[in-house]
Amino acid sequence: LVLEDNTFKGSISDSFGLSLPYLESLYLGNNSLTGTIPTTIGGLVKLKELSLRMNNLVGDIPSEIGLLTKIQTLHLDDNGLGSTLPDFFSSLR
């Protein structure tokens, strides 16, 4: 699902990860999304590619991203996310 380079505004719904369990790619970069990354993102268990770059997201990177065991590409740059990385980053290969 590629929705980059639009003018989407607002936050990512808390139910987002619960409603698309078979999604493999999600590109929401270069929009005007605000708020935090919902912890329910961990429900996207088949996700291989996630891009939330170049938005206005804030807060910490949720540790639930560590549940995305198939993830190969993760872009979170150019946001206002916290400076502490969740523990799962140390186990990435």
Side-chain angles (χ1 to χ4, degrees):
L1 181 60
V2 179
L3 298 172
E4 288 187 319
D5 301 318
N6 287 288
T7 55
F8 296 133
K9 296 180 180 178
S11 61
I12 302 171
S13 170
D14 287 338
S15 64
F16 193 78
L18 304 174
S19 58
L20 299 166
Y22 298 105
L23 194 66
E24 292 186 3
S25 298
L26 177 60
Y27 290 88
L28 291 172
N30 201 22
N31 283 291
S32 295
L33 299 175
T34 58
T36 60
I37 300 172
T39 58
T40 53
I41 200 96
L44 297 172
V45 295
K46 298 202 182 278
L47 204 63
K48 295 179 184 177
E49 302 171 310
L50 175 62
S51 177
L52 299 174
R53 62 189 300 270
M54 297 177 66
N55 281 291
N56 298 306
L57 299 171
V58 296
D60 293 328
I61 299 169
S63 60
E64 287 79 3
I65 286 184
L67 298 173
L68 305 177
T69 58
K70 297 185 185 298
I71 201 78
Q72 297 171 0
T73 304
L74 178 63
H75 296 281
L76 301 175
D77 53 294
D78 291 323
N79 282 290
L81 297 170
S83 60
T84 303
L85 293 176
D87 292 338
F88 77 87
F89 275 99
S90 63
S91 64
L92 293 177
R93 298 179 196 162

